[in-house]
Amino acid sequence: MIITKKREHNDLMENIKNCNSLFLLGCSECATLCGTGGEPELRAMKEMLEAEGKRVTGTFVSKTGCQVLGTKVELKQFKDALAETDCILVMSCGAGTQTAVELFQDKPVYPANDSLFLGNMTRIQMFDERCSLCGKCILDKTGGICPVTACPKGLLNGPCGGTNNGKCEVSADIECAWVRIYNRLKRLDQLEDMKRIAEPKDWSAHKKPMSLNAREKKEEVEK
Ligand code: SF4
Ligand code: SF4
């Protein structure tokens, strides 16, 4: 899931200083789990904006904010509220914000959140980054632990000389990724994998902007 956090209040208010009226758009998926774009957060945002003298023409938590067509259909019921708003304030991730940019060509769209990383939720509203979307996964070679993400240096043939009692030299709060990988491979009786020298990573597998037509892939498989 995409991990988001609320923008600083002053930054948000500066963004929307020229908007007298706003429509609030949340997302029932990642942003709801992050506590940045579900029903309670939209209610709180509406109250705050109204206290600041703004008018909120409508609020809606879309099912999946990054789903452009689905969001477009869902928003049809808010035609009037959307027509009379000065701008759209999107309480999801940057992808959800850009759904609104695509749907509202003639209105300013502002993000209420900052998007941080792709994360796993380990407990309620606690998140860890475990994958950097590198485009060519090497988890099969590292005991299922990602050194690209878990090692601050992204070392593929670690550990570096700074590892200290299982901790990372960058921060004692971080377990050394390569000690974790070693311990995991040992548990699995796969320590031979530690001896493999990883080739330099092909970063071209993650060229921006990326796109994927999964339908084409499916059609290829069916041929
Ligand atoms: S190797 Fe790449 S795709 Fe696999 S978990 Fe790490 S960053 Fe993600
Ligand atoms: S101590 Fe471990 S996690 Fe930290 S930078 Fe070195 S290899 Fe990476």
Side-chain angles (χ1 to χ4, degrees):
M1 61 191 285
I2 305 299
I3 310 307
T4 48
K5 73 171 175 56
K6 276 175 69 174
R7 298 204 97 174
E8 294 293 331
H9 177 80
N10 290 347
D11 292 344
L12 174 65
M13 296 314 290
E14 174 64 22
N15 286 162
I16 60 172
K17 66 182 178 198
N18 295 324
C19 304
N20 293 320
S21 57
L22 303 98
F23 184 93
L24 310 185
L25 181 59
C27 170
S28 78
E29 307 257 9
C30 313
T32 289
L33 287 173
C34 289
T36 56
E39 296 286 359
E41 294 78 34
L42 264 72
R43 267 197 306 277
M45 179 67 83
K46 181 173 185 290
E47 274 172 28
M48 184 280 285
L49 291 171
E50 286 173 348
E52 296 274 353
K54 308 275 187 191
R55 188 164 74 90
V56 175
T57 67
T59 68
F60 180 61
V61 177
S62 66
K63 183 169 182 314
T64 309
C66 52
Q67 223 268 54
V68 179
L69 282 181
T71 305
K72 182 178 181 181
V73 171
E74 288 177 320
L75 285 174
K76 278 189 178 158
Q77 59 187 305
F78 298 101
K79 197 163 157 269
D80 294 341
L82 288 163
E84 66 190 58
T85 189
D86 288 341
C87 73
I88 317 290
L89 184 62
V90 184
M91 298 173 65
S92 63
C93 66
T97 303
Q98 289 176 80
T99 290
V101 169
E102 188 168 335
L103 296 180
F104 302 101
Q105 304 275 328
D106 302 323
K107 285 193 193 288
V109 174
Y110 296 105
N113 297 326
D114 290 318
S115 302
L116 303 177
F117 56 89
L118 172 66
N120 291 46
M121 186 158 86
T122 53
R123 293 186 194 167
I124 305 269
Q125 295 196 351
M126 291 179 70
F127 308 97
D128 284 343
E129 185 177 22
R130 294 191 182 167
C131 171
S132 307
L133 306 173
C134 74
K136 187 75 184 159
C137 196
I138 57 166
L139 287 179
D140 54 310
K141 301 179 181 65
T142 57
I145 293 166
C146 173
V148 178
T149 309
C151 167
K153 298 175 190 170
L155 295 180
L156 301 183
N157 290 294
C160 71
T163 184
N164 186 8
N165 289 326
K167 301 289 183 187
C168 172
E169 70 168 348
V170 171
S171 164
D173 294 335
I174 303 173
E175 303 286 326
C176 171
W178 276 98
V179 171
R180 288 176 57 211
I181 291 168
Y182 174 89
N183 288 335
R184 169 110 174 129
L185 290 173
K186 189 174 176 193
R187 198 174 306 131
L188 298 175
D189 201 19
Q190 294 176 358
L191 272 180
E192 278 300 303
D193 282 0
M194 282 297 285
K195 295 181 186 160
R196 185 168 29 207
I197 305 293
E199 297 289 316
K201 193 151 178 59
D202 176 11
W203 292 105
S204 70
H206 187 83
K207 279 184 289 197
K208 290 175 194 262
M210 294 187 79
S211 60
L212 169 73
N213 182 339
R215 277 198 299 204
E216 258 175 19
K217 292 266 176 230
K218 193 167 166 245
E219 280 154 20
E220 270 171 32
V221 170
E222 285 169 354
K223 269 182 200 166

